[in-house]
C-alpha cells in the first residue's frame, strides 16, 4: 500500500549551516557551490530534506541572520544562480529544500531600516517599532536575547527602536500590513525559485504586546543564569494573535501557483523556530492541520537527560498535540552545544537512536551523524557576537559550528589546505571525518545510516503510535505500534548493565544494537536496542 501521508511526516530533515559545510572558493568560509558538491553525502546518509541556514546579503554581524536583502545571495556564499542550482541539484537527488526565512528583523543596514530611521515622516516610518521613552528610560523593560535592553536610542530620530537580538537587528513591525505584504512577496519569490518550504526564524518573537507592558520578573532566575531569563518574556513573545499570521502564511503557501519544476502547493511546508514549553507550543500546530506543519519542538534540548524526564516530555507532547497535528523532535542546532558534548560522548549513540525512533519528524543538525563534539575556540578566534558582546563565552555558539570534517587531509577537506577556516577545527578532525567513518561498521555514521534505513523500511518507526514501556533511573523503553508489526526501543542512560522487559504479546527480534558485539536482553552501559515483532518490513 503506498504511503499516503504528506512527505514531511515521513521525512528526516538535515540542517545545513552553509558557512561551515564546504568551502569551494578558498576563503575559508563555506558556500553554496561547496554545499552543492556535498549533497550526495545527504543522499547516502538517508535523509529526505535539507534546511539551509541563511545565505542572504548581510554584514554578517549575526552570521547571516542580519539580512539586507531577503531575495539575494551574499557574495561570500555565491549568487542567486548558485541558490537555484542548489535547489535543482537537491531535487534531482530526491531531496526537498527548505530555506531559512528571517521575518522578525532585518539588518540595520537594510534599505528599509535606513529609510525608516532617516525619514520619520516617510512611508516607512512605522516599518520598525519606534517609541518614545519616558524620563530618559526605554519604553519597556524588555531584554535582548543577546544581552542588555531590547531598546536602542537613535539620536537622529530621537526615539528608541526595538531589537529582540543585536542592536544591528531591528525588529520589523509585523502589525503593519505593508510590512507583511513586503515579506510575503519575499516568500513568493523563493517559491518561484522552487523551494519546498521555509524554516521561520524567531517565530515566537514576531508579535509583541500592543499595549507595551513590562515583562514580569522571573522569580526562579539563578544569578549565574543567562541574563535574558531574568524576566519572563510574557509581553515580548508568543502573543495570542500569532495564529492570524499563521493563517496568512498557510494561505499564501496554498494559493501561490506551482512554478515550473517546483513544489506542489499542498506539499509546501513551514518549520518554525519556537522555543516554547509543550502547552504553549501545541497552539502553533493549529487544529486539524491548519497551523504550522512543524513548529520546532526544542524541549529535548533543555530536558534533563534522564529516562523519567524524557518519558514525561514525550508523553506530555503526545497528550497535548491537537487532532491532526504531527510531532517533531530536535536534539541539536547551530545555537546549542552539540550532543556529544552536552550529553557526553558515551550517550550520543542512544541519543541518535532516540531522536530517530520517536514518533514524529526528526530534525538533524549537520555533523551529528559523525558524533562531532563542540570545538574549543580560543579567545582570539571567537566570532559569535553573543559571546563577544556579553563577555560570557559560555553563551557563545561558535563551538557548535565547527567546519564539517570530510576527509583525512589537512583542513579535513573543508577548505584548501593553505587556507585558514573561519572557525578552528578539532585536532581529531581526521578521525571524525566522513572518510574515516564511512566504511567502519562501528562508526557513528554507520549507526545513523542503519537507523535511517530502518526508518524507511519499517512503518512502525515512521508511522506507529507511541507508548512508554519502562522509565526508571537507568532505562527508557517504548513501543511503536503499527498494523504491519511493532517496534520496541530500549535505551540505557546509565553506566551500569541494565535489563529490560519485552511485552509478552509478541515474539521480538533484535534488529539493531547501538554498540557492536554480542547482545542479550541486558543492555551494556550506554547501549540501546531496537527490536521488531515478526515480519514488519516493507518489501
Ligand atoms: C534564531 C537563530 C539564531 C539567530 C537568531 C536571530 O534564534 O537560530 O542563530 O542568532 O535567531 O536571528
Ligand atoms: Mg567560500
Amino acid at each position: 500500500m503506498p504511503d499516503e501521508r504528506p512527505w514531511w511526516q515521513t521525512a528526516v530533515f538535515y540542517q545545513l549551516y552553509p558557512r561551515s559545510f564546504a568551502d569551494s572558493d578558498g576563503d575559508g568560509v563555506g558556500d553554496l557551490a561547496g554545499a552543492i558538491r556535498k549533497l550526495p553525502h545527504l543522499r547516502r546518509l538517508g535523509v529526505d530534506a535539507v534546511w539551509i541556514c541563511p545565505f542572504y546579503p548581510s554584514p554578517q554581524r549575526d552570521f547571516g541572520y542580519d539580512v539586507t536583502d531577503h531575495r539575494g545571495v551574499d557574495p561570500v556564499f555565491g549568487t542567486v544562480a548558485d541558490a537555484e542550482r542548489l535547489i535543482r541539484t537537491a531535487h534531482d537527488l530526491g531531496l526537498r529544500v527548505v530555506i531559512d526565512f528571517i521575518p522578525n528583523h532585518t539588518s540595520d543596514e537594510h534599505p528599509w531600516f535606513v529609510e525608516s530611521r532617516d525619514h520619520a515622516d516617510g512611508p516607512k516610518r512605522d516599518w520598525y517599532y519606534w517609541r518614545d521613552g519616558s524620563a530618559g528610560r526605554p519604553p519597556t523593560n524588555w531584554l535582548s536575547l543577546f544581552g542588555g535592553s531590547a531598546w536602542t536610542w537613535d539620536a537622529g530620530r530621537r526615539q528608541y527602536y526595538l531589537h529582540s537580538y543585536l542592536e544591528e537587528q531591528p525588529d520589523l513591525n509585523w502589525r503593519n500590513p505593508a510590512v507583511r505584504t513586503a515579506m510575503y512577496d519575499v516568500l513568493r519569490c523563493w517559491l518561484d525559485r522552487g523551494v519546498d518550504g521555509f524554516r521561520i526564524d524567531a517565530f515566537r518573537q514576531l508579535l509583541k504586546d500592543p499595549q507595551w507592558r513590562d515583562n514580569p520578573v522571573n522569580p526562579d532566575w539563578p544569578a549565574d543564569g543567562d541574563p535574558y531569563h531574568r524576566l519572563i518574556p510574557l509581553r515580548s513573545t508568543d502573543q495570542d494573535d500569532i495564529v492570524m499570521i499563521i493563517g496568512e502564511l498557510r494561505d499564501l503557501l496554498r494559493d501561490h501557483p506551482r512554478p515550473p519544476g517546483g513544489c506542489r502547493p499542498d506539499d509546501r511546508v513551514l518549520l518554525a523556530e519556537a522555543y516554547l514549553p509543550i502547552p504553549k507550543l501545541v497552539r502553533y500546530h493549529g487544529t486539524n492541520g491548519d497551523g504550522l506543519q512543524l513548529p520546532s519542538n526544542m524541549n529535548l534540548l533543555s530536558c534533563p537527560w534522564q529516562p523519567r524526564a524524557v518519558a514525561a516530555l514525550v508523553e506530555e507532547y503526545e497528550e497535548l498535540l491537537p487532532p491532526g497535528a504531527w510531532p517533531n523532535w530536535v536534539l541539536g542546532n547551530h545555537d546549542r552545544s552539540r550532543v556529544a558534548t552536552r550529553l557526553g560522548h558515551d550517550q550520543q549513540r542512544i541519543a541518535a537512536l532516540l531522536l530517530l525512533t520517536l514518533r514524529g519528524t526528526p530534525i538533524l543538525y549537520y555533523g551529528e551523524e559523525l558524533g562531532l563534539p563542540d570545538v574549543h575556540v580560543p579567545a582570539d578566534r571567537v566570532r559569535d557576537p553573543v559571546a563577544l558582546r556579553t563577555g560570557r563565552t559560555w553563551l557563545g555558539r561558535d563551538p557548535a559550528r565547527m567546519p564539517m570534517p570530510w576527509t583525512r587531509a589537512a583542513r579535513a577537506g573543508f577548505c584548501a589546505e593553505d587556507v585558514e577556516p573561519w572557525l578552528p577545527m578539532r585536532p581529531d578532525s581526521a578521525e571524525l571525518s566522513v572518510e574515516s567513518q564511512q566504511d567502519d561498521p562501528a562508526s557513528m555514521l554507520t549507526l545513523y545510516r542503519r537507523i535511517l534505513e530502518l526508518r524507511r523500511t519499517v512503518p512502525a518507526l515512521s508511522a506507529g503510535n507511541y507508548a512508554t514501556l519502562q522509565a526508571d533511573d537507568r532505562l527508557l523503553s517504548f513501543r511503536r505500534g503499527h498494523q504491519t508489526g511493532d517496534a520496541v526501543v530500549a535505551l540505557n542512560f546509565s553506566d551500569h548493565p541494565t535489563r529490560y522487559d519485552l511485552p509478552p504479546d509478541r515474539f521480538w527480534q533484535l534488529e539493531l544494537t547501538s554498540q557492536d558485539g554480542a547482545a542479550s536482553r541486558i543492555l551494556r552501559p550506554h547501549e540501546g536496542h531496537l527490536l521488531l515483532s515478526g515480519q514488519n518490513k516493507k518489501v
Side-chain angles (χ1 to χ4, degrees), residues 22-31 76:
D23 174 28
S24 72
D25 59 359
D27 62 356
V29 179
D31 42 56
V76 113

Side-chain angles (χ1 to χ4, degrees), residues 14 58-59 69 89 142 240 257 264-265 306 323 329 331 353:
Y14 186 94
S58 157
D69 172 11
T89 312
W142 300 355
D240 285 344
R264 278 199 356 242
Q306 295 154 4
W329 295 98
L331 204 52
L353 192 50

